[in-house]
Amino acid sequence: MGSLFTGRHQQIPASDWPAALLAMPEGGVAVFSPAQGSFAGRRIARALLEEAAVLGGGHVVEFPGGDLLLGATTGPGNRARQAIAELTGQTAESWPLPANRSAVKARCEQAQAASAALLPTLAGLEAHCATLPVEDLACLTFFADGTGTRPVAQRLGPASLGLADAESEAVAREWLCRRLLAALADPVQRRRLPALRPGLRLILDLPLGGLPRGAPLAGGAPDDPNRPIALLPLASLADPGGFAAMEAGLRAAGWAVGLVATDACALDWVEAPGLVWAVPATAEPPAHRPPRLIALGQPTPGWCRAPGILHEGTSP
């Protein structure tokens, strides 16, 4: 059995995972990264697991519900788990092997049972996003500050398609963000988008690439505390150099820059000084709360009603 783990990575079919699990040597590790968050984030997580399989010997298995590393040594697997959390904001699970085979088996069966039939094909999803009426591709939500109830900010972002699969929803977000920016630049299409309220600070969702070159979207003065906020997906940090250039360009154009994450635990793993954070409002405050925070969703917990926190749910 030891010949299966030679220090080289081999991606195996999902149907072969039971045999690979039984062949795990003493001192191995299983790391499971669930299919959550953005499409780009899942690709980053999968690449980290594959690197761990190369460094420590083992296999990576792709399931509809996530990706599994069966590694022969624990070090690379544990480092991959930490890096996944830092770069994507998603928490991967891990188990020492072979002692925890039963737990890994149950997790694999659950991930394998995720119905791929319910997931749209990429081509079908792209076609749907491309043909969605302009009136349906965006939504507008409003935010109050601190203990206030009066709207002070408005977020214009892509509409949720309500897909069961988080990865497909994230892919749709990217395509709809691009369409939204194109519609904002076209006077005819812009009239078909939700009407922005004068006097409210703008929070605008952007795709991974940020604003397209030459986009006619004005920012504010560098010292304006109410200058618009550009929200970039957390996966943008996977390219540090590209993100730094994009951030500098947005700031020079008069935008504040923020990150949007699908899980508030990203605040505990990722350091991003000077950026605004937009995360789901959790029942308990995060351990590491940034100076500027946008709490998404309702109901609004009490800790969100504090100065410097924009919380969702108000309407003009």
Side-chain angles (χ1 to χ4, degrees):
M1 290 193 295
S3 62
L4 291 176
F5 300 91
T6 60
R8 294 177 295 136
H9 161 57
Q10 179 186 3
Q11 192 167 339
I12 63 174
S15 59
D16 291 349
W17 68 263
L21 179 59
L22 287 174
M24 285 297 300
E26 189 72 34
V29 66
V31 180
F32 182 81
S33 178
Q36 299 174 350
S38 71
F39 179 66
R42 182 171 181 183
R43 286 190 297 179
I44 292 168
R46 186 179 300 159
L48 290 168
L49 295 179
E50 290 175 346
E51 179 183 44
V54 171
L55 295 175
H59 306 297
V60 173
V61 188
E62 296 179 22
F63 296 108
D67 302 310
L68 173 76
L69 164 69
L70 293 173
T73 58
T74 59
N78 289 334
R79 289 193 293 272
R81 179 176 180 269
Q82 182 176 356
I84 288 169
E86 292 174 348
L87 293 176
T88 72
Q90 302 293 336
T91 302
E93 306 165 69
S94 67
W95 303 265
L97 291 174
N100 294 280
R101 278 192 186 129
S102 59
V104 177
K105 180 176 181 290
R107 193 66 179 90
C108 289
E109 290 172 344
Q110 181 186 30
Q112 195 169 30
S115 178
L118 296 178
L119 310 182
T121 65
L122 283 180
L125 182 58
E126 183 176 18
H128 176 73
C129 292
T131 57
L132 199 67
V134 174
E135 291 84 354
D136 297 334
L137 68 86
C139 64
L140 187 65
T141 50
F142 299 92
F143 295 81
D145 181 29
T147 58
T149 58
R150 182 178 60 85
V152 297
Q154 55 194 328
R155 179 191 182 192
L156 184 64
S160 171
L161 298 185
L163 301 176
D165 176 58
E167 182 177 355
S168 298
E169 187 71 48
V171 173
R173 178 198 182 278
E174 285 293 298
W175 285 326
L176 293 180
C177 271
R178 295 189 189 107
R179 281 200 62 198
L180 174 57
L181 292 181
L184 285 171
D186 181 338
V188 175
Q189 293 189 68
R190 185 167 184 161
R191 288 196 292 267
R192 298 166 60 187
L193 293 172
L196 296 176
R197 305 307 197 263
L200 298 185
R201 188 179 191 182
L202 176 62
I203 304 168
L204 181 64
D205 282 69
L206 300 183
L208 281 169
L211 287 173
R213 184 171 298 178
L217 295 172
D223 58 349
D224 182 2
N226 290 315
R227 63 190 181 279
I229 301 172
L231 282 186
L232 295 160
L234 184 61
S236 301
L237 294 179
D239 176 9
F243 181 83
M246 187 163 43
E247 180 187 4
L250 285 166
R251 292 191 186 281
W255 290 75
V257 181
L259 293 170
V260 59
T262 58
D263 192 327
C265 75
L267 297 172
D268 299 329
W269 289 98
V270 181
E271 292 187 7
L275 297 181
V276 182
W277 276 92
V279 298
T282 55
E284 298 296 329
H288 299 90
R289 186 164 50 182
R292 293 178 294 172
L293 183 66
I294 301 172
L296 306 175
Q298 294 182 282
T300 302
W303 68 265
C304 292
R305 300 182 183 276
I309 299 180
L310 295 175
H311 52 85
E312 188 176 344
T314 60
S315 58

Coordinates of all heavy atoms in Angstrom, one line a residue, residues 70-113:
L70 N -6.2 13.6 0.5 CA -5.7 12.4 1.3 C -4.2 12.5 1.3 O -3.6 12.1 0.3 CB -6.3 11.1 0.8 CG -7.8 10.9 0.9 CD1 -8.3 9.7 0.1 CD2 -8.2 10.9 2.3
G71 N -3.6 13.0 2.3 CA -2.2 13.2 2.3 C -1.4 12.2 3.1 O -1.9 11.8 4.2
A72 N -0.2 11.8 2.7 CA 0.6 10.8 3.4 C 1.2 11.4 4.6 O 1.5 10.7 5.6 CB 1.6 10.2 2.5
T73 N 1.5 12.8 4.6 CA 2.1 13.4 5.8 C 1.3 14.6 6.2 O 0.6 15.3 5.4 CB 3.6 13.9 5.4 OG1 3.5 14.8 4.3 CG2 4.5 12.7 5.1
T74 N 1.3 15.0 7.5 CA 0.4 16.0 8.0 C 0.9 17.4 7.7 O 0.0 18.3 7.5 CB 0.3 15.8 9.5 OG1 1.6 15.9 10.1 CG2 -0.3 14.4 9.8
G75 N 2.2 17.7 7.7 CA 2.7 19.0 7.6 C 2.1 19.8 6.4 O 1.5 20.9 6.6
P76 N 2.3 19.3 5.1 CA 1.7 20.1 4.0 C 0.2 20.2 4.0 O -0.3 21.3 3.6 CB 2.2 19.2 2.8 CG 3.4 18.5 3.3 CD 3.1 18.2 4.7
G77 N -0.5 19.2 4.5 CA -1.9 19.3 4.6 C -2.4 20.4 5.6 O -3.3 21.1 5.3
N78 N -1.7 20.4 6.7 CA -2.1 21.4 7.7 C -1.8 22.8 7.3 O -2.5 23.8 7.5 CB -1.4 21.2 9.1 CG -2.0 19.9 9.8 OD1 -3.1 19.6 9.5 ND2 -1.1 19.3 10.6
R79 N -0.7 23.0 6.5 CA -0.3 24.3 6.0 C -1.3 24.7 4.9 O -1.7 25.9 4.8 CB 1.1 24.3 5.4 CG 2.2 24.2 6.5 CD 3.6 24.5 5.9 NE 4.0 23.5 5.0 CZ 4.7 22.4 5.3 NH1 5.0 22.2 6.6 NH2 5.1 21.5 4.4
A80 N -1.8 23.8 4.1 CA -2.8 24.1 3.1 C -4.1 24.5 3.8 O -4.7 25.5 3.3 CB -3.0 22.8 2.2
R81 N -4.5 23.8 4.8 CA -5.7 24.2 5.5 C -5.6 25.6 6.1 O -6.6 26.4 5.9 CB -5.9 23.3 6.7 CG -7.2 23.5 7.6 CD -7.3 22.5 8.6 NE -8.5 22.7 9.5 CZ -8.5 23.4 10.6 NH1 -7.3 23.9 11.0 NH2 -9.6 23.6 11.3
Q82 N -4.5 26.0 6.6 CA -4.4 27.4 7.1 C -4.4 28.4 6.0 O -5.0 29.5 6.1 CB -3.1 27.5 7.9 CG -2.9 28.9 8.5 CD -1.6 29.0 9.4 OE1 -1.0 28.0 9.6 NE2 -1.4 30.2 9.9
A83 N -3.7 28.1 4.9 CA -3.6 29.0 3.8 C -5.0 29.2 3.1 O -5.3 30.3 2.7 CB -2.6 28.5 2.7
I84 N -5.8 28.1 3.1 CA -7.2 28.2 2.5 C -8.0 29.2 3.3 O -8.7 30.1 2.8 CB -7.8 26.9 2.5 CG1 -7.2 26.0 1.4 CG2 -9.3 27.0 2.3 CD1 -7.6 24.5 1.5
A85 N -7.9 29.1 4.7 CA -8.6 30.1 5.5 C -8.1 31.5 5.3 O -8.9 32.5 5.2 CB -8.4 29.7 7.0
E86 N -6.8 31.7 5.2 CA -6.2 33.0 5.0 C -6.6 33.7 3.7 O -6.8 34.9 3.6 CB -4.7 33.0 5.2 CG -4.3 32.7 6.6 CD -2.8 32.5 6.7 OE1 -2.1 32.4 5.7 OE2 -2.2 32.4 7.9
L87 N -6.6 32.9 2.6 CA -6.8 33.4 1.3 C -8.2 33.4 0.8 O -8.6 34.3 0.0 CB -6.0 32.6 0.3 CG -4.4 32.8 0.4 CD1 -3.7 31.9 -0.6 CD2 -4.0 34.2 0.2
T88 N -9.1 32.6 1.4 CA -10.4 32.5 0.9 C -11.5 32.8 2.0 O -12.6 33.0 1.6 CB -10.8 31.1 0.3 OG1 -10.9 30.1 1.4 CG2 -9.7 30.7 -0.7
G89 N -11.1 32.8 3.2 CA -12.0 33.0 4.3 C -12.9 31.8 4.6 O -13.8 31.9 5.4
Q90 N -12.6 30.7 3.9 CA -13.4 29.5 4.2 C -12.6 28.5 5.1 O -11.4 28.5 5.0 CB -13.6 28.7 2.9 CG -14.4 29.6 1.8 CD -15.8 29.9 2.3 OE1 -16.4 29.2 3.1 NE2 -16.4 31.0 1.7
T91 N -13.3 27.8 6.0 CA -12.7 26.9 6.9 C -12.7 25.5 6.4 O -13.8 25.0 6.1 CB -13.4 27.0 8.3 OG1 -13.4 28.3 8.8 CG2 -12.8 26.0 9.3
A92 N -11.5 24.9 6.2 CA -11.4 23.5 5.8 C -11.4 22.6 7.0 O -10.9 23.0 8.1 CB -10.2 23.3 4.9
E93 N -11.9 21.4 6.9 CA -11.9 20.4 8.0 C -10.7 19.5 7.8 O -10.2 19.3 6.7 CB -13.2 19.6 7.9 CG -14.4 20.5 7.9 CD -15.7 19.7 7.6 OE1 -16.1 18.8 8.3 OE2 -16.2 19.9 6.5
S94 N -10.2 19.0 8.9 CA -9.1 18.0 8.8 C -9.2 17.0 9.9 O -9.8 17.2 10.9 CB -7.7 18.8 8.9 OG -7.6 19.3 10.2
W95 N -8.7 15.8 9.5 CA -8.7 14.6 10.5 C -7.4 13.9 10.3 O -6.9 13.6 9.2 CB -9.8 13.6 10.1 CG -11.2 14.2 10.0 CD1 -12.1 14.2 11.0 CD2 -11.8 14.9 8.9 NE1 -13.3 14.8 10.6 CE2 -13.1 15.2 9.3 CE3 -11.4 15.2 7.6 CZ2 -14.0 15.8 8.5 CZ3 -12.3 15.8 6.8 CH2 -13.6 16.1 7.2
P96 N -6.7 13.5 11.5 CA -5.6 12.6 11.4 C -6.0 11.2 10.9 O -7.1 10.7 11.3 CB -5.1 12.6 12.8 CG -5.7 13.7 13.5 CD -7.0 14.0 12.8
L97 N -5.2 10.6 10.1 CA -5.5 9.2 9.6 C -4.4 8.3 10.0 O -3.2 8.7 10.2 CB -5.6 9.3 8.1 CG -6.8 10.1 7.5 CD1 -6.7 10.2 6.0 CD2 -8.1 9.4 7.9
P98 N -4.8 7.0 10.1 CA -6.0 6.4 9.7 C -7.1 6.3 10.8 O -8.1 5.7 10.6 CB -5.6 5.0 9.3 CG -4.5 4.7 10.2 CD -3.7 6.0 10.4
A99 N -6.8 6.9 12.0 CA -7.7 6.8 13.1 C -9.1 7.3 12.9 O -10.1 6.8 13.5 CB -7.1 7.5 14.3
N100 N -9.2 8.3 12.0 CA -10.5 8.9 11.8 C -11.2 8.5 10.4 O -11.9 9.3 9.8 CB -10.4 10.4 11.8 CG -10.0 10.9 13.2 OD1 -10.9 11.0 14.1 ND2 -8.7 11.1 13.4
R101 N -10.9 7.3 9.9 CA -11.4 6.9 8.6 C -12.9 7.0 8.6 O -13.5 7.4 7.6 CB -11.0 5.5 8.3 CG -9.6 5.3 7.8 CD -9.4 3.9 7.2 NE -8.0 3.7 6.8 CZ -7.3 2.7 7.2 NH1 -7.7 1.8 8.0 NH2 -6.0 2.6 6.7
S102 N -13.6 6.6 9.7 CA -15.1 6.6 9.6 C -15.6 8.0 9.5 O -16.6 8.2 8.7 CB -15.6 6.0 10.9 OG -15.2 6.7 12.1
A103 N -15.0 9.0 10.1 CA -15.5 10.4 10.0 C -15.2 10.9 8.6 O -16.1 11.6 8.0 CB -14.7 11.3 11.0
V104 N -14.1 10.6 8.0 CA -13.8 11.0 6.7 C -14.7 10.3 5.7 O -15.2 10.9 4.7 CB -12.3 10.7 6.3 CG1 -12.0 11.1 4.9 CG2 -11.4 11.4 7.3
K105 N -15.0 9.1 5.9 CA -15.9 8.3 5.0 C -17.3 9.0 5.0 O -17.9 9.2 4.0 CB -16.0 6.9 5.5 CG -16.9 6.0 4.7 CD -16.9 4.6 5.2 CE -17.8 3.7 4.3 NZ -19.2 3.9 4.6
A106 N -17.8 9.3 6.2 CA -19.1 10.0 6.3 C -19.1 11.3 5.6 O -20.1 11.7 4.9 CB -19.5 10.2 7.8
R107 N -18.0 12.1 5.7 CA -17.9 13.4 5.1 C -17.9 13.3 3.6 O -18.5 14.0 2.8 CB -16.7 14.2 5.6 CG -16.7 15.7 5.2 CD -17.8 16.4 5.9 NE -17.9 17.8 5.6 CZ -18.6 18.3 4.5 NH1 -19.2 17.5 3.7 NH2 -18.6 19.6 4.4
C108 N -17.1 12.3 3.1 CA -17.0 12.0 1.6 C -18.4 11.6 1.0 O -18.8 12.1 0.0 CB -16.0 10.9 1.3 SG -14.3 11.4 1.6
E109 N -19.1 10.8 1.8 CA -20.4 10.3 1.3 C -21.4 11.5 1.2 O -22.1 11.6 0.2 CB -20.9 9.2 2.2 CG -20.2 7.9 2.1 CD -20.6 6.9 3.1 OE1 -21.3 7.3 4.1 OE2 -20.3 5.7 2.9
Q110 N -21.3 12.4 2.2 CA -22.1 13.6 2.1 C -21.8 14.5 1.0 O -22.6 15.0 0.2 CB -22.0 14.3 3.4 CG -22.8 15.6 3.5 CD -22.5 16.4 4.8 OE1 -21.4 16.4 5.3 NE2 -23.5 17.1 5.3
A111 N -20.5 14.7 0.7 CA -20.0 15.5 -0.4 C -20.3 14.9 -1.7 O -20.7 15.6 -2.7 CB -18.5 15.8 -0.2
Q112 N -20.2 13.6 -1.8 CA -20.5 12.9 -3.0 C -22.0 12.9 -3.4 O -22.4 13.0 -4.5 CB -20.0 11.5 -3.0 CG -19.9 10.8 -4.3 CD -19.2 9.4 -4.2 OE1 -19.3 8.8 -3.2 NE2 -18.5 9.0 -5.2
A113 N -22.8 13.0 -2.3 CA -24.3 13.0 -2.5 C -24.8 14.3 -3.0 O -26.0 14.4 -3.4 CB -25.0 12.6 -1.2

